[in-house]
Amino acid sequence: MQKQLTAIIEKEDDGYVSLCPEYDIASQGSTVEEARKNLHEALQLFFETASPQEIRSRFHGEIYITRMDVAFG
């Protein structure tokens, strides 16, 4: 089975943190591509080892990524 998931990758210090918000699984890497690859591997490991019940219970079906303007200062 194939599923399309979201990967959010953010620069942090001298590396990158990657997050899949649908399952709240994160990883990291020293480059964007490495962080993406490591997140992919973490997700595969999760799907290989988690029970069907855990996979269903952790899934967040509707994820929206957007930008907004907020006044401050």
Side-chain angles (χ1 to χ4, degrees):
M1 185 164 100
Q2 193 82 2
K3 185 176 266 212
Q4 189 172 52
L5 299 172
T6 306
I8 299 170
I9 301 174
E10 179 181 13
K11 177 89 169 129
E12 190 171 282
D13 298 325
D14 54 347
Y16 294 87
V17 173
S18 51
L19 170 70
C20 173
E22 286 92 347
Y23 288 97
D24 198 25
I25 292 176
S27 193
Q28 62 185 12
S30 36
T31 65
V32 170
E33 184 54 35
E34 184 178 310
R36 191 195 69 73
K37 178 180 161 271
N38 290 344
L39 179 60
H40 188 270
E41 290 175 3
L43 285 161
Q44 284 183 317
L45 183 60
F46 169 71
F47 289 125
E48 289 171 6
T49 60
S51 69
Q53 180 183 1
E54 183 178 6
I55 291 171
R56 280 191 307 276
S57 70
R58 288 187 60 163
F59 181 66
H60 303 283
E62 291 192 35
I63 301 292
Y64 302 98
I65 308 291
T66 186
R67 297 182 70 88
M68 61 183 163
D69 294 323
V70 178
F72 65 95

